[in-house]
Amino acid sequence: MRALLLGLILALAAGPAAADAMQGYHRAVGAAMKHVRLAQFYLRTGNLAVAGTELDQATDKWAGMTATFGAKPPGNLAGDKAFKGDLEAVAGALGAALAAVDEDERDAAARRLKPIAGRLAALRKRNGLWIYSDCIAAMNRAMDGAWVYRRKPPDFADAAQVAELDKRLAVLAHWYKRCFREAGPRERADPAFGRLFPGSLESIERLIRAAKDKSALRVINNLRELRSFDRLIWLYLG
């Protein structure tokens, strides 16, 4: 009986500890990825000096995360044989991007960074993990789906095109509302959350009204506004 009770106590203690380790892993990855996104932003604007600074910080934070969790992956990740390879691949991509920045090769650096978020998302998905970054990524993809109308709005006389527009806007609204709901205390405490999400949800409402009114110009203008919100949400909260 004593052995059974001891086992039960250890199991109960391990549960919170394992959850804390997983949360620590997510926070450490998120800290590195924030610098990756900032580097991507500065590469897009052509500011290679600042992009390099962000990549230095991303590399340092990634090295710290790997030192903590590389040899002892938390939770489900412990059984993932590809975990170590994914961490090494991200480290390699960061190093290659930084080398490209040092050579003033902006496009090459951007190419090296682009697959990182997707690789980490695939790692989480195959291990049954879902975090706020995954919601933001789905929201960004929904925005990409609606953005096709930016330069080519639908023919409102064509019922099929109108139905497709309505479907894409419904998906867009769904993901924005879901990511607003799923935000935890840490995300809601970020000033960017309170600044960007209310405006984006209002923009979606105007976009949907413009579609119902069959106003191609208003559809385009609201898409442009929403795209700005979308990029900033990705940058600060993704």
Side-chain angles (χ1 to χ4, degrees):
M1 179 64 72
R2 285 196 298 271
L4 180 61
L5 288 173
L6 179 59
L8 181 59
I9 291 169
L10 290 174
L12 290 173
D20 287 345
M22 183 62 78
Q23 288 304 312
Y25 165 77
H26 289 319
R27 284 194 297 270
V29 171
M33 287 304 297
K34 184 171 185 177
H35 291 293
V36 171
R37 292 193 302 276
L38 285 166
Q40 291 175 300
F41 170 78
Y42 286 115
L43 286 172
R44 189 178 299 123
T45 63
N47 194 332
L48 272 69
V50 180
T53 299
E54 294 296 340
L55 284 174
D56 277 331
Q57 295 187 66
T59 300
D60 288 345
K61 284 185 166 54
W62 192 258
M65 185 281 298
T66 301
T68 302
F69 298 103
K72 191 176 180 181
N76 295 358
L77 301 178
D80 189 334
K81 294 181 180 179
F83 178 74
K84 183 179 179 181
D86 281 339
L87 299 194
E88 291 173 348
V90 172
L94 292 173
L98 189 54
V101 167
D102 289 341
E103 296 295 326
D104 289 332
E105 296 178 355
R106 181 179 70 170
D107 293 343
R111 285 196 301 271
R112 292 291 191 174
L113 295 179
K114 187 175 181 180
I116 291 178
R119 178 182 285 274
L120 294 174
L123 166 63
R124 291 190 294 269
K125 184 175 181 179
R126 69 175 180 260
N127 287 287
L129 301 173
W130 173 270
I131 64 173
Y132 195 63
S133 291
D134 297 312
C135 192
I136 296 296
M139 189 190 83
N140 295 151
R141 289 193 294 271
M143 181 69 236
D144 290 341
W147 187 244
V148 298
Y149 298 111
R150 163 64 180 85
R151 298 195 181 279
K152 190 178 180 181
D155 179 355
F156 286 104
D158 186 324
Q161 290 190 38
V162 171
E164 181 64 21
L165 170 65
D166 290 344
K167 182 176 75 173
R168 293 187 185 218
L169 296 187
V171 171
L172 183 65
H174 163 79
W175 280 110
Y176 264 85
K177 290 176 182 177
R178 176 169 172 174
C179 292
F180 180 78
R181 292 194 308 269
E182 285 193 4
R186 186 168 59 87
E187 288 82 22
R188 292 181 183 276
D190 192 314
F193 184 88
R195 186 173 71 250
L196 298 173
F197 259 102
S200 63
L201 292 171
E202 291 172 4
S203 184
I204 288 174
E205 290 180 3
R206 289 193 295 271
L207 176 59
I208 292 173
R209 285 199 301 271
K212 288 181 179 178
D213 293 341
K214 301 181 179 181
S215 172
L217 181 59
R218 284 165 52 207
V219 165
I220 290 170
N221 287 339
N222 280 285
L223 280 172
R224 291 174 62 186
E225 178 185 55
L226 187 59
R227 185 67 155 185
S228 296
F229 280 123
D230 192 72
R231 286 176 170 168
L232 289 171
I233 289 173
W234 165 81
L235 181 63
Y236 293 110
L237 300 168

